Amino acid sequence: MESKAIGIIGMGDMGKMYTRRLSDAGWRVNACDTPEKYESLREEFSQCPNVAILPNGHLVSRCSDYIIYSVEAEAIDAVVAQYGPSTKQGAIVGGQTSCKAPEMAAFERHLPADVEIVSCHSLHGPNVNPEGQPLVIIQHRASQKSVDFVEQVLSCFKSRHVQLTAIMHDQITADTQAVTHAAFLSMGTAWKANKQFPWELNRYVGGIENVKINITLRIYSNKWHVYAGLAILNPSAKQQIKQYAESVTELFKLMLGGHREELTKRIKQAGAAVFVGDLGNNDLLLRDDVLDRFSLGKVPDEKTPNNHLSLLAMVDCWWKLGIIPYEHMICSTPLFRLWLGATQYLFRKPGLLDEVINVAIEDNTFRSDDLEFTFAARGWSECVSFGDFSSYRDRFESIQAYFSPRFPEAIRVGNEMIKTILEKTT
């Protein structure tokens, strides 16, 4: 450990988290970001003796034995093109992007032939304790000795290492993250369109409504590029987000038309396919008495029945795409496990699904909300299909600004909720 140095290029939230944890574990870390952040980063890490903040990626690349590019997926090619040729001879290089296809293409295109490639991806955000969370290791162009070294370096996270290829990684992250993010992004869009702060409305407080609110605010409190890269650059993600929008639209039309029999048949057929056999065990079921503890508003004495269009569409989407979500639990994020738990709660709790179908046909309480949610799901799908990062950012940040005053409390409550619930689901 004393003779090896780790390089971090890109000091965003995840880059800083990696830098702190690696240096606290005794590794020497060389780190950099863009030149204008050099002085502020030096000040921020001035009390960390194992961290050297350097002016640029050339210097980090020349003196580090394992270099991790922690930059947006959109920027990975340009950054590796700039700094990759300066990589120390015989070093190992990896990346922390959520989409590995462009990352690997950039490494193969710009890194010297004598450099080995071992990438990684922590499947959680910077504010989640990495202990026990999945950490993907990708042996792309490297000896087993180099892979063993990378695993030794990252062992200080106490995460659960999962060996995958880059292609497998992108397929699984699309299956577990792309549609999940689309659902929550659409909820936030709909609430803003209706000028709602849902925790102020009795019908959105308590039970699995708390999951929806807390995770939506958690997503919008993060950087836009975390979700844009996965959605736009992952080849599988576009089709999945498109299918989610189609599922939302088609189910909403059945509700509007009062087509009870067709709606019931479709929903139950989807549930039977997704929660098949023993895979649909009860371990993930979320309980109201637990979820009620994590409300941003006061829990009403009597809860308003909801048709849960977002959850019904999620299961319908998985069914249409042939995805069995339990098959990917080894690489699931905390948000995915919560969302899967919420869908299973709806489909496996006796009598609840029939109640939801009845509400969908006969109760108009959520009709305007569902209309905006349908518009939002289609809007995000179109934004992703165009592949336009700028419009994605504009949509995201306008909604982020709307909810921003509640982010600190939402993150605190969300962390407690995730910790409590995931102790029983990992």
Side-chain angles (χ1 to χ4, degrees), residues 307-374:
N307 61 44
H308 293 299
L309 175 59
S310 60
L311 290 167
L312 297 178
M314 182 63 62
V315 176
D316 187 83
C317 174
W318 284 333
W319 169 49
K320 292 289 186 180
L321 293 169
I323 294 173
I324 305 298
Y326 299 97
E327 294 177 352
H328 299 320
M329 290 302 287
I330 193 170
C331 286
S332 60
T333 64
L335 300 191
F336 176 75
R337 292 201 291 281
L338 281 174
W339 196 226
L340 176 57
T343 59
Q344 190 187 30
Y345 173 99
L346 176 59
F347 277 79
R348 307 287 289 190
K349 188 174 181 180
L352 181 56
L353 190 59
D354 291 331
E355 176 190 305
V356 164
I357 293 170
N358 192 57
V359 171
I361 297 296
E362 298 183 0
D363 192 330
N364 291 326
T365 303
F366 285 88
R367 203 66 88 207
S368 63
D369 302 60
D370 291 339
L371 177 64
E372 291 292 353
F373 181 76
T374 303

Side-chain angles (χ1 to χ4, degrees), residues 201-206 292 298-305 355:
L201 305 172
N202 282 351
R203 67 178 187 263
Y204 278 118
V205 178
D292 282 349
K298 186 179 184 300
V299 179
D301 295 332
E302 187 174 339
K303 294 174 184 174
T304 304
E355 176 190 305

Side-chain angles (χ1 to χ4, degrees), residues 182 185 227-228 230-234 237-239 241-242 378-388 391-392 395:
L185 291 172
Y227 309 103
L230 170 62
I232 293 174
L233 297 177
N234 189 316
K238 289 184 180 180
Q239 176 56 36
I241 293 170
K242 180 174 182 287
R378 292 164 68 96
W380 279 109
S381 177
E382 290 173 0
C383 180
V384 168
S385 70
F386 295 148
D388 185 353
S391 62
Y392 190 106
R395 287 175 65 90

Side-chain angles (χ1 to χ4, degrees), residues 52-347:
I53 300 296
L54 301 179
N56 57 60
H58 294 295
L59 298 176
V60 171
S61 296
R62 293 305 296 163
C63 62
S64 304
D65 299 282
Y66 178 42
I67 301 113
I68 301 173
Y69 284 81
S70 187
V71 301
E72 305 98 289
E74 180 190 16
I76 188 70
D77 187 77
V79 177
V80 177
Q82 184 176 7
Y83 299 129
S86 298
T87 304
K88 179 180 179 180
Q89 185 175 10
I92 309 166
V93 171
Q96 238 283 84
T97 66
S98 58
C99 185
K100 295 304 180 187
E103 180 183 297
M104 294 305 166
F107 288 158
E108 291 175 351
R109 188 178 298 119
H110 303 300
L111 292 178
D114 59 16
V115 171
E116 297 190 87
I117 302 171
V118 182
S119 254
C120 63
H121 184 200
S122 291
L123 291 171
H124 58 82
N127 297 313
V128 174
N129 184 345
E131 184 171 353
Q133 300 296 338
L135 196 168
V136 174
I137 307 290
I138 298 173
Q139 181 177 2
H140 187 71
R141 188 179 80 191
S143 65
Q144 187 57 47
K145 180 181 179 182
S146 294
V147 175
D148 292 342
F149 174 69
V150 170
E151 293 211 69
Q152 179 192 356
V153 170
L154 300 178
S155 64
C156 62
F157 289 15
K158 299 181 180 178
S159 296
R160 180 164 40 86
H161 293 184
V162 181
Q163 303 278 349
L164 293 176
T165 65
I167 294 173
M168 291 169 60
H169 167 277
D170 283 357
Q171 183 62 57
I172 290 174
T173 53
D175 289 352
T176 58
Q177 295 185 52
V179 180
T180 305
H181 296 160
F184 292 112
L185 291 172
S186 300
M187 285 181 218
T189 306
W191 288 329
K192 178 179 180 289
N194 277 331
K195 297 180 172 58
Q196 295 171 337
F197 294 104
W199 54 87
E200 296 177 352
L201 305 172
N202 282 351
R203 67 178 187 263
Y204 278 118
V205 178
I208 56 177
E209 301 297 348
N210 289 346
V211 174
K212 295 179 183 178
I213 293 171
N214 286 326
I215 296 182
T216 297
L217 294 186
R218 189 182 190 86
I219 285 176
Y220 276 109
S221 71
N222 287 324
K223 303 288 178 57
W224 67 274
H225 65 76
V226 173
Y227 309 103
L230 170 62
I232 293 174
L233 297 177
N234 189 316
S236 300
K238 289 184 180 180
Q239 176 56 36
Q240 296 186 5
I241 293 170
K242 180 174 182 287
Q243 179 57 57
Y244 184 69
E246 290 176 356
S247 292
V248 170
T249 302
E250 291 167 8
L251 293 179
F252 183 55
K253 287 179 178 179
L254 291 176
M255 294 176 185
L256 277 180
H259 302 297
R260 181 188 296 271
E261 184 176 342
E262 187 177 350
L263 179 66
T264 301
K265 180 181 178 182
R266 178 163 174 168
I267 288 172
K268 294 199 171 180
Q269 189 173 354
V274 171
F275 302 107
V276 60
D278 292 334
L279 289 175
N281 59 67
N282 290 324
D283 291 342
L284 285 176
L285 283 174
L286 308 180
R287 299 198 336 258
D288 277 331
D289 60 331
V290 174
L291 292 177
D292 282 349
R293 292 159 45 193
F294 304 107
S295 296
L296 293 181
K298 186 179 184 300
V299 179
D301 295 332
E302 187 174 339
K303 294 174 184 174
T304 304
N306 191 338
N307 61 44
H308 293 299
L309 175 59
S310 60
L311 290 167
L312 297 178
M314 182 63 62
V315 176
D316 187 83
C317 174
W318 284 333
W319 169 49
K320 292 289 186 180
L321 293 169
I323 294 173
I324 305 298
Y326 299 97
E327 294 177 352
H328 299 320
M329 290 302 287
I330 193 170
C331 286
S332 60
T333 64
L335 300 191
F336 176 75
R337 292 201 291 281
L338 281 174
W339 196 226
L340 176 57
T343 59
Q344 190 187 30
Y345 173 99
L346 176 59
F347 277 79

